[in-house]
Amino acid sequence: MTSILRIAILLLTTTNIQAQTGFNANGFEVTKQDIELNVYAKDSTANALIIRETGKSFVDRETFLLNSEIKKKLKILNRSGFDNATETIYLYGNGIKKETVDDIKATVYNIENGQVTQTKLDKSSIFEEKYNEDYTIVKFTFPNIKEGSVIVYSYTLESPFMFKYKSWYFQEDIPKLYSEYRPSIPGNWEYNIKLVGGKKLHTNTSSLRQNCLQVLGAGASDCGDYIYVMKDIPAFIPEKFMTTKENYLARIEYELKVFRGFDGRVDNITKTWETVDNELKSDKDIGRQLKKSSVTKDLLSDTIVNENDKLKKAQAIYNYMLDNYTWDKQYNIFKDVSVKDLIENKSGNVSEINILLHNLMDANDIDVKPILLSTRSNGFATRIFPVLSDFNYLIVQVTIDDQTYMLDATDKYLSFGQLPFRCLNQYGRLLDLKNGGTWIEINANDPSYKKLRVSLKIDETENITGEIKNNTSGYHALRVKESYFDNPESHLNTYVNSYPSLEFLNYKAENPQKKEQDFTEKFEITQFPERIGDNIYVNPFVFSSYTENPLKLQERNYPIDFGYKDAYLYSVELKTENYEVVSIPESISLSLPNNTGTLVYSVNSNEDSVTIFFKYYFKEPIYDSAYYDALKQYFATIVDIQKNSLVVLKKKQ
């Protein structure tokens, strides 16, 4: 009786996915229904779907190479999914050894004349090419692809690199019904294992298998056998306000920690931060360059050197760097770093520029330390153990009168204490080569503002003339400064092209400075409102911050990362002398949950004017995905106010 009950429960569990979706995710057999279905109910926008995939990684008992057997069952839902019918495999090599792929097989299933047909992948359709210095790619396209095709394919990877144990991506850019990974790891190799992406495993089990690996006359090793399963994994769809998708894709990664040889040898591969700090002291690209104070002699003017106010001196040193050295757009921090070369060439990579900034500060008795970080496009650096390859950028921190300032001298439009937007990736590693480093938060200190003050007047000919004053600060100002100083005429044309319904008469930037926190510009404009019958319809939002909602997903499972706190203010006064105000928009007030954002839209009128005040404020630089629906509605309101706010006027009789 008990056995029958267990079998019934098992059958109920294994058929659950198929019952929900219609696809057979319980095995690699292709059913007629697998081919006939052309929509995935849980994501009607999906163009393709992984019905089932499995991976099994193990160390071969004969060759001692890492083998990974991969098998997938792919569904093409429509023509837009044809791009998924090409598989690309990246193979790593170091010039001496390399990864290989073998036993590539694929069968494409279709329904033709009511019958299920099979088309095999021909070996001649498999191509190999050099990708870059480290990788070769093997690529093949499945034959006879049609809407509805189901492809079952498999291959085996062979790798001599145990430090690169096979990672497994549960999540990619198409949805998956079932994803399973079975790694087997001999006890000789101990790894730090990371589950990235925040999604929960449906199955997470482990067991010990004895004597899985043997060396004659040397010993034997036991293996840890693991089973990881995820089900119903949504496609990862990138959207506005995010860092790299590598921060959020659900996957398992391995970092080799310790190797234990059969001869008793123990190699500690993953080091402690204390060990890494000590090694960085003598590193030729970091530690030694940070000590090159002699090359800074005579670089600074006597005015800077003799400045007694430390903050003014630090600002002067920073401005000297911006004015005299150019970033070559290279991010090198552990390779080809030479402060001496930078001084000679006046151009260099991130490390060279900011290490010279560090050394000039240090030579002038300003408390300064370097910070290693990973940029927004590079992903989060691992914090639980040192992985120096995670870092791709270096900045500095100065401390003056207990106030800290983070500095980067690569961008001529940055103000003192402002970092490039690419650096706003939550945290970095402060290097203190004497006392040991620490993790610190990296944030934009102040909100970035965009403030528009608009004065409009409607004349007897029903044309509207007026002035716009656009004041920006922080990262809004940074973008405007870059555009303006690159080409003022082209900068104005950006506005002209963005607002074709306006006629721009005069433009002026008020005291433009490259390194200032704020930037202010003025426009004189003419607008031509629409008349329907006796009524004149005026949209008071001559400029708009958003013309469409940037948040479009049904569901988002990763944070909404603006990078900085953001505020927008728009005020307008419309002079309506000789006109009757027929109607004005309704005022609106809105807040995000937990008071993390506010929106105020206030409209008032009197005998000769209409005044409008519009403000919204994102009080947090990063919002958890739980705020997504609220943020989506918040943006929808912002767009609707700017698009559909009409003041209706009528000429007085």
Side-chain angles (χ1 to χ4, degrees):
M1 189 71 175
T2 304
S3 298
I4 294 172
L5 180 60
R6 286 177 178 169
I7 292 170
I9 293 172
L10 179 62
L11 286 172
L12 182 63
T13 303
T14 56
T15 57
N16 189 41
I17 296 177
Q18 185 170 359
Q20 290 179 351
T21 67
F23 295 103
N24 173 29
N26 300 320
F28 289 99
E29 300 82 7
V30 176
T31 67
K32 196 171 183 180
Q33 188 170 340
D34 285 338
I35 306 171
E36 290 174 336
L37 286 171
N38 60 7
V39 68
Y40 176 45
K42 291 190 176 182
D43 182 358
S44 59
T45 66
N47 301 313
L49 168 73
I50 292 290
I51 298 174
R52 182 182 180 90
E53 67 177 5
T54 61
K56 180 181 179 183
S57 294
F58 58 93
V59 176
D60 187 272
R61 294 171 63 93
E62 302 296 330
T63 66
F64 283 80
L65 297 176
L66 176 62
N67 283 10
S68 295
E69 298 173 349
I70 314 297
K71 192 168 187 179
K72 300 188 180 187
K73 183 178 178 182
L74 169 67
K75 169 71 177 181
I76 304 297
L77 292 166
N78 53 51
R79 295 188 66 84
S80 297
F82 283 9
D83 288 345
N84 294 279
T86 296
E87 181 76 357
T88 302
I89 303 168
Y90 291 82
L91 302 174
Y92 175 74
N94 62 9
I96 301 172
K97 298 181 289 185
K98 65 177 184 178
E99 296 174 331
T100 60
V101 62
D102 196 16
D103 202 23
I104 298 174
K105 298 176 182 177
T107 303
V108 179
Y109 296 82
N110 290 300
I111 293 180
E112 297 176 358
N113 299 320
Q115 300 297 315
V116 176
T117 64
Q118 301 182 22
T119 307
K120 304 285 186 182
L121 174 70
D122 193 288
K123 298 295 183 184
S124 63
S125 300
I126 302 172
F127 302 96
E128 182 174 323
E129 61 186 68
K130 188 74 174 175
Y131 179 68
N132 59 24
E133 190 176 314
D134 298 320
Y135 284 90
T136 299
I137 60 174
V138 172
K139 185 184 292 187
F140 46 93
T141 299
F142 305 119
N144 197 27
I145 292 299
K146 301 178 180 181
E147 290 185 335
S149 293
V150 175
I151 306 105
V152 176
Y153 64 101
S154 61
Y155 54 87
T156 299
L157 297 171
E158 192 174 72
S159 172
F161 305 112
M162 287 301 293
F163 74 91
K164 283 173 63 69
Y165 198 91
K166 173 67 177 171
S167 58
W168 186 260
Y169 280 73
F170 293 101
Q171 188 177 35
E172 295 179 88
D173 58 0
I174 60 173
K176 299 181 180 181
L177 294 184
Y178 183 91
S179 181
E180 173 187 294
Y181 187 41
R182 293 175 176 254
S184 177
I185 303 177
N188 307 72
W189 291 274
E190 182 181 343
Y191 293 87
N192 290 307
I193 304 174
K194 288 195 303 179
L195 178 62
V196 182
K199 293 193 174 301
K200 292 182 179 179
L201 291 163
H202 180 272
T203 302
N204 181 4
T205 65
S206 61
S207 60
L208 186 66
R209 181 162 48 92
Q210 295 182 335
N211 298 325
C212 67
L213 202 62
Q214 293 181 323
V215 175
L216 191 62
S221 177
D222 298 338
C223 279
D225 292 340
Y226 304 85
I227 303 175
Y228 304 116
V229 175
M230 281 192 187
K231 296 182 180 181
D232 293 327
I233 310 122
F236 184 90
I237 302 174
E239 194 179 43
K240 290 277 289 183
F241 312 124
M242 59 173 279
T243 55
T244 175
K245 68 179 183 180
E246 290 297 313
N247 285 336
Y248 312 116
L249 285 173
R251 64 189 185 276
I252 285 180
E253 291 184 339
Y254 298 84
E255 178 80 19
L256 184 58
K257 182 179 180 182
V258 178
F259 173 73
R260 299 178 179 87
F262 287 115
D263 59 359
R265 174 171 54 97
V266 177
D267 291 337
N268 290 300
I269 309 298
T270 300
K271 301 165 184 175
T272 64
W273 274 111
E274 183 179 3
T275 302
V276 169
D277 287 339
N278 288 328
E279 290 180 354
L280 285 174
K281 290 179 184 179
S282 57
D283 180 83
K284 68 180 182 66
D285 292 307
I286 298 291
R288 292 182 189 177
Q289 298 299 317
L290 290 167
K291 297 172 186 175
K292 288 187 179 293
S293 56
S294 60
V295 298
T296 65
K297 189 177 180 181
D298 300 328
L299 289 180
L300 301 177
S301 67
D302 291 341
T303 303
I304 296 176
V305 173
N306 296 327
E307 173 61 59
N308 292 321
D309 186 303
K310 283 203 170 183
L311 180 57
K312 289 182 179 179
K313 178 182 280 192
Q315 290 171 332
I317 293 171
Y318 177 72
N319 288 335
Y320 162 81
M321 288 294 304
L322 293 180
D323 293 338
N324 289 277
Y325 300 96
T326 302
W327 178 38
D328 63 9
K329 306 301 181 184
Q330 298 300 310
Y331 281 21
N332 303 13
I333 59 172
F334 299 116
K335 182 181 179 183
D336 302 328
V337 178
S338 171
V339 173
K340 184 178 179 181
D341 288 349
L342 170 66
I343 294 171
E344 291 178 359
N345 301 326
K346 303 298 182 183
S347 175
N349 60 47
V350 162
S351 284
E352 290 169 339
I353 286 176
N354 286 328
I355 287 177
L356 178 56
L357 174 63
H358 169 280
N359 294 352
L360 286 169
M361 295 285 186
D362 188 50
N364 285 273
D365 299 320
I366 294 170
D367 184 3
V368 60
K369 292 180 177 62
I371 298 172
L372 294 178
L373 60 84
S374 176
T375 57
R376 290 173 69 90
S377 63
N378 193 58
F380 295 137
T382 304
R383 302 179 72 163
I384 54 176
F385 49 85
V387 184
L388 287 179
S389 59
D390 281 358
F391 299 97
N392 70 328
Y393 211 89
L394 184 146
I395 60 173
V396 302
Q397 175 184 279
V398 298
T399 303
I400 300 170
D401 297 330
D402 297 323
Q403 179 70 42
T404 60
Y405 305 87
M406 292 184 185
L407 304 176
D408 181 337
T410 63
D411 190 328
K412 299 183 185 301
Y413 304 110
L414 292 171
S415 58
F416 186 83
Q418 184 182 25
L419 293 176
F421 182 72
R422 58 182 171 268
C423 294
L424 302 182
N425 202 25
Q426 301 189 27
Y427 56 84
R429 182 77 183 181
L430 181 76
L431 298 182
D432 186 336
L433 301 183
K434 292 181 180 178
N435 304 310
T438 55
W439 291 102
I440 60 170
E441 291 186 0
I442 295 179
N443 297 312
N445 292 326
D446 301 315
S448 291
Y449 283 92
K450 187 175 178 69
K451 304 176 184 177
L452 290 110
R453 180 171 293 178
V454 182
S455 299
L456 301 175
K457 181 181 180 181
I458 183 166
D459 61 23
E460 287 292 330
T461 64
E462 300 179 7
N463 291 335
I464 294 176
T465 57
E467 181 183 83
I468 303 169
K469 184 176 182 180
N470 181 27
N471 174 248
T472 53
S473 73
Y475 292 96
H476 292 299
L478 183 60
R479 288 188 286 270
V480 175
K481 286 187 293 183
E482 289 171 347
S483 174
Y484 174 81
F485 285 106
D486 181 57
N487 187 322
E489 185 177 345
S490 176
H491 174 66
L492 176 58
N493 285 336
T494 301
Y495 288 102
V496 173
N497 295 331
S498 297
Y499 300 99
S501 63
L502 299 181
E503 184 178 307
F504 289 85
L505 304 177
N506 287 304
Y507 171 82
K508 181 183 178 182
E510 290 191 343
N511 191 28
Q513 300 291 324
K514 288 183 179 180
K515 306 183 192 77
E516 289 297 317
Q517 180 79 0
D518 292 358
F519 188 89
T520 301
E521 52 192 350
K522 287 184 177 180
F523 309 82
E524 287 184 11
I525 58 108
T526 298
Q527 184 185 32
F528 308 99
E530 182 180 11
R531 170 189 269 273
I532 300 176
D534 292 335
N535 292 336
I536 301 164
Y537 295 83
V538 179
N539 185 342
F541 287 92
V542 290
F543 279 12
S544 56
S545 56
Y546 292 96
T547 57
E548 63 179 19
N549 194 332
L551 305 182
K552 304 178 187 299
L553 299 178
Q554 294 178 358
E555 182 181 3
R556 177 160 162 168
N557 297 306
Y558 52 93
I560 299 84
D561 189 335
F562 296 100
Y564 52 84
K565 299 174 184 178
D566 190 12
Y568 181 88
L569 294 90
Y570 185 98
S571 62
V572 59
E573 181 182 34
L574 172 63
K575 294 288 188 181
T576 58
E577 188 179 353
N578 299 322
Y579 288 85
E580 174 189 344
V581 178
V582 177
S583 68
I584 58 175
E586 292 185 6
S587 297
I588 297 173
S589 180
L590 185 66
S591 294
L592 288 170
N594 302 314
N595 198 32
T596 55
T598 55
L599 181 152
V600 175
Y601 180 44
S602 175
V603 186
N604 294 285
S605 65
N606 55 34
E607 287 188 1
D608 58 5
S609 69
V610 175
T611 57
I612 293 175
F613 177 77
F614 178 49
K615 175 184 178 180
Y616 60 83
Y617 183 20
F618 295 98
K619 296 182 180 181
E620 302 292 335
I622 303 172
Y623 289 83
D624 185 81
S625 60
Y627 285 81
Y628 185 70
D629 288 341
L631 284 166
K632 193 174 179 180
Q633 180 57 49
Y634 193 79
F635 272 112
T637 304
I638 291 170
V639 172
D640 184 63
I641 286 173
Q642 295 178 112
K643 267 190 169 184
N644 300 315
S645 292
L646 292 176
V647 175
V648 183
L649 304 176
K650 189 180 194 179
K651 266 191 177 180
K652 291 180 180 177
Q653 299 299 322

